[in-house]
Amino acid sequence: MKSSSSRRNPRTAAIRTPDGLDQVYGVHALESLLERGEAPRELWVQQGAGNRLKDVVANAQASGARIKEQPREVLDQLTQGAAHQGVVAFCTPLTPEGEESLWLKLRAWQAPTPPLLLVLDGVTDVHNFGACLRSADAAGAHGVIVAKDKAAPLNATVRKVACGAAEVVPVYQVTNLSRTLAKLKDAGVWITGTAGEAEASVFEIDMTGPTALVMGAEGKGMRRLTREACDNLAKLPMAGQVSSLNVSVATGICLFEAVRQRQLAS
């Protein structure tokens, strides 16, 4: 008979997950993967979930995913208490596109609307990054540009928060952000940076043409060289006691101001 000390407690035991794969958790994120034809390699399903998850699990299995049932405690530990909703998928990791892909896209531009790009300068929080990607997708932005340094990774938390946007919005990773902004200007893209001390409101800046909207990190804002590379600086008018908004909230407001202007101009 084994002693109680030899029994493995799922709350404390090390969890072995498939090597080289990213976690994507939550029903909506899994459904988004399946709708795009991206089958997870493996799917862990909470024991006893029953009919609540049968459809999405059946779809994942039909796509080729290997299904494993796990205690809720294992899924809780794996996702560090996040709302996994009883499913954790293991998928091929996302990788940002290189800078050359951005220039190829702009040179071959055929979309009916001018480019609308979101630039994140120093946004390192994965929750903010995921929320910014979600807003970018909702606003129809054509891509998100980040630097290789001082930038949040495209990890499982980002994918969860983005609710599928991380898989569809192109993320371009560049070595030198200020140099990239200079090249965007040479390509005819107007650069608008957000700064609390700016004189103009974001509602006064024309974003109907090719536009790159730059959002800085919370607290620090844009770095000096990034700021100097901007054509315009704009702010959100603050009527209350707080001096600034969360970067993902501010991103959504600014992007949809661009959407509003473009709809009126069309």
Side-chain angles (χ1 to χ4, degrees):
M1 179 177 177
K2 294 182 179 180
S3 67
S4 60
S5 61
S6 67
R7 297 181 189 136
R8 293 173 65 83
N9 185 335
R11 291 184 182 273
T12 58
I15 300 174
R16 295 191 62 180
T17 59
D19 292 336
L21 300 179
D22 272 357
Q23 302 168 28
V24 176
Y25 44 87
V27 173
H28 183 76
L30 176 57
E31 288 175 339
S32 296
L33 279 174
L34 295 172
E35 287 171 3
R36 290 188 302 277
E38 298 181 28
R41 302 276 187 88
E42 190 164 302
L43 180 67
W44 289 10
V45 183
Q46 181 178 317
Q47 290 176 348
N51 292 336
R52 180 171 62 88
L53 298 173
K54 69 174 184 178
D55 290 339
V56 70
V57 171
N59 290 338
Q61 191 168 27
S63 73
R66 180 182 177 186
I67 309 299
K68 284 188 175 181
E69 288 195 350
Q70 297 283 7
R72 177 173 179 173
E73 291 86 351
V74 169
L75 301 187
D76 288 346
Q77 182 180 342
L78 187 64
T79 59
Q80 299 181 346
H84 52 72
Q85 299 175 298
V87 286
V88 177
F90 295 91
C91 310
T92 302
L94 292 177
T95 55
E97 297 187 40
E99 187 172 350
E100 186 56 33
S101 295
L102 173 61
W103 308 129
L104 288 173
K105 183 173 185 177
L106 290 176
R107 284 196 293 267
W109 194 261
Q110 294 181 344
T113 56
L116 176 59
L117 300 168
L118 173 64
V119 181
L120 300 179
D121 181 26
V123 175
T124 58
D125 183 89
V126 290
H127 294 88
N128 283 335
F129 186 24
C132 287
L133 287 174
R134 188 173 182 178
S135 294
D137 179 54
H142 300 104
V144 177
I145 300 172
V146 298
K148 285 186 177 180
D149 66 321
K150 297 183 180 178
L154 274 173
N155 63 12
T157 303
V158 172
R159 296 175 82 159
K160 169 64 175 176
V161 174
C163 293
E167 287 78 18
V168 295
V169 176
V171 176
Y172 301 102
Q173 190 179 71
V174 302
T175 302
N176 188 305
L177 192 56
S178 59
R179 188 169 61 213
T180 298
L181 294 180
K183 290 183 69 173
L184 283 173
K185 287 198 285 189
D186 290 340
V189 178
W190 284 82
I191 315 297
T192 295
T194 53
E197 69 277 11
E199 294 184 4
S201 162
V202 71
F203 307 121
E204 300 170 334
I205 301 295
D206 184 359
M207 292 186 283
T208 57
T211 299
L213 179 66
V214 186
M215 309 298 299
E218 289 186 52
K220 296 181 180 178
M222 293 182 293
R223 289 178 282 188
R224 179 181 60 83
L225 291 177
T226 305
R227 180 189 299 264
E228 291 175 356
C230 294
D231 295 301
N232 305 300
L233 293 179
K235 66 180 179 182
L236 286 171
M238 306 295 293
Q241 296 298 312
V242 297
S243 59
S244 64
L245 294 174
N246 174 279
V247 63
S248 63
V249 174
T251 295
I253 294 171
C254 293
L255 284 173
F256 275 92
E257 170 58 16
V259 172
R260 184 192 70 82
Q261 291 183 18
R262 289 166 178 233
Q263 288 180 342
L264 288 176
S266 62

